[in-house]
Amino acid sequence: QVQLAESGGDSVQAGGSLRLSCAASGRTFSGVAMGWFRQAPGQEREFVGSVRWANGDTYYIDSVKGRFTISRDRVRKTVYLQMNSLKPEDTAVYYCAAQRAGAEGYDLWGQGTQVTVSS
């Protein structure tokens, strides 16, 4: 059974950096795209960005453009979210999700990892 596992969440000061990882387990994983989402306390889950598994094309929401970078390692079946110049408003639980072959949207989710940015 394929699962996603995030890691790398931590507490940092504003202006700092973190790199989150999302590893897919299972031999049969076949992804179309991988996305990163976040959910702050009392708020709905928000899409942050995504990467196409085949060609590495990325997409970001405006609030993280120029600060966050998504990359993927197809051999390790791992996606990364490099976060620089972190702001307190980036504080949230970060989730990775996979859109697998044949799925219309993201159909596999990780358990989430906490990122806390203090001012």
Side-chain angles (χ1 to χ4, degrees):
Q1 183 174 353
V2 180
Q3 292 182 321
L4 300 179
E6 301 99 334
S7 61
D10 205 345
S11 296
V12 297
Q13 291 194 329
S17 297
L18 282 175
R19 188 177 82 156
L20 306 184
S21 300
C22 173
S25 63
R27 292 186 303 142
T28 59
F29 177 74
S30 177
V32 175
M34 299 289 290
W36 285 97
F37 294 75
R38 64 186 180 186
Q39 187 167 20
Q43 298 187 19
E44 294 187 355
R45 189 171 296 185
E46 174 188 39
F47 172 77
V48 174
S50 62
V51 60
R52 300 291 292 182
W53 199 250
N55 60 14
D57 285 351
T58 54
Y59 177 82
Y60 305 93
I61 58 174
D62 287 345
S63 60
V64 307
K65 281 181 181 176
R67 299 189 300 122
F68 290 11
T69 302
I70 298 174
S71 59
R72 90 271 189 261
D73 185 326
R74 296 176 65 182
V75 172
R76 291 182 169 83
K77 294 183 291 184
T78 299
V79 176
Y80 304 97
L81 178 63
Q82 177 68 43
M83 304 185 293
N84 299 326
S85 303
L86 282 162
K87 304 175 181 180
E89 52 264 42
D90 295 319
T91 295
V93 177
Y94 283 72
Y95 301 87
C96 68
Q99 178 187 1
R100 290 180 289 183
E104 291 188 0
Y106 294 99
D107 65 317
L108 182 66
W109 291 81
Q111 82 287 353
T113 186
Q114 177 70 47
V115 172
T116 303
V117 184
S118 58
S119 58

